[in-house]
Amino acid sequence: MWHRSASFILDTQQQLRDDAVAAAAAAAQIPESRLLSPATTATHNSSSMAETLQNPNPNPNVSAYYQTRAAHHGVITSDWLAQAQAAVGRHPDDLPPENSKAGDFGKAFSVVDEFNNWRKQPDLAEAVAAIRALASVIRSSEATTMMELEIELKKASDSLKSWDTTSISLTAGCDLFTRYVTRTSALEYEDFTSAKSRLIERAEKFGEISYRARKIIAMLSQEFIFDGCTILVHGFSRVVLEVLKTAAQNRKLFRVLCTEGRPDRTGLRLSNELAKLDVPVKLLIDSAVAYSMDEVDMVFVGADGVVESGGIINMMGTYQIALVAHTMNKPVYVAAESYKFARLYPLDQKDMAPALRPIDFGVPIPSKVEVETSARDYTPPQYLTLLFTDLGVLTPSVVSDELIQLYL
């Protein structure tokens, strides 16, 4: 397995880049120092949004954590993250259309209505729809002071969170948006009009970061998917689908074992999407995971939420898959956007808000028979190998550090 380790991959990539630079310098007879690397070229050509992403913390006086990310993680360098972000780029087709205008004339603005308008886009995550709706709150606000605007933003955030109290990503996305947008000391020294413009700018920037997260994760994960591998996935995750779709577009040869994903059979939906991509896929019943694990090279799952311990909350069955994989020494990779990082610390399976879902067994169930209707479980960090996020590739042990940076 050493030839697929992160350090080996990084060293190999660096050697290839150095050889390419040296060859180009020799061919052009110019000093190597005057050549721009692909990552540098992409950086110069990208928008200001990409520059912000490549340097998450441009003010060294605030925190040195992002400057020493590689030392904290021991998995990925900042160069690799920057290259993935630059490769994603900013393209007009990548951003959802502004199909709804906040505060239309003659119609009172409703953050829930705005949220539901954004949710009509099938590829847009629920948390990103909430972030877009909250940005519209700022644009349509008639507040005259920063205090009034912040109160209005908090009320809108609370309204969205109450729309689905069981959604971890929705709650975390709203909280992170509020903190990101209002966390700037410059607002104290500006007039209200300028401060509001600054808030709108930061709101749009956060929305773009969140929307592009899925593509950045897909880019980062490609080095871990090798030709001939077999990947086990569970249920339907849009970010996992993006990872596999990108691998297929890169002409990697792999096959997927897809669980049925009871009770809503979301695995059927994922297997259909993979079949459209001509990816070899095999559908399993959920109870066949242990039976099929010896065929598997890695497990890829999404997450409803990433908690402070580095564990994840995901659809029911993820925990038992991780247990089987851990027992059989198979890596378990999690693909999750940073807006799913939640300030939660569950101690066991029952220590979280219930998310219930009706289950159809196909036959009548006697009234005296109790049915477990929980829709998700908690997977502790010791059963996870790596988390692929738009912040980089993280080990579970450093998730708490990232949470501090996000919520600070």
Side-chain angles (χ1 to χ4, degrees), residues 34 95 150 165 209 213 219 286 325 328 342 376 403 408:
R34 295 179 58 187
L95 295 177
E150 289 189 13
T165 57
I209 292 173
M219 294 293 299
D286 293 339
M328 301 182 69
R376 61 194 183 196
L403 272 163
L408 191 63

Side-chain angles (χ1 to χ4, degrees), residues 160-168 170-171 353-354 376:
L160 289 178
K161 287 189 288 186
S162 63
W163 182 82
D164 183 1
T165 57
T166 66
S167 176
I168 299 173
L170 179 61
T171 298
R376 61 194 183 196

Side-chain angles (χ1 to χ4, degrees), residues 146 184-199 201-202:
M146 281 302 303
T184 170
S185 58
L187 297 177
E188 300 176 6
Y189 307 102
E190 298 178 347
D191 61 90
F192 177 71
T193 302
S194 299
K196 183 177 179 180
S197 298
R198 179 74 64 88
L199 286 180
E201 178 184 347
R202 290 176 66 84

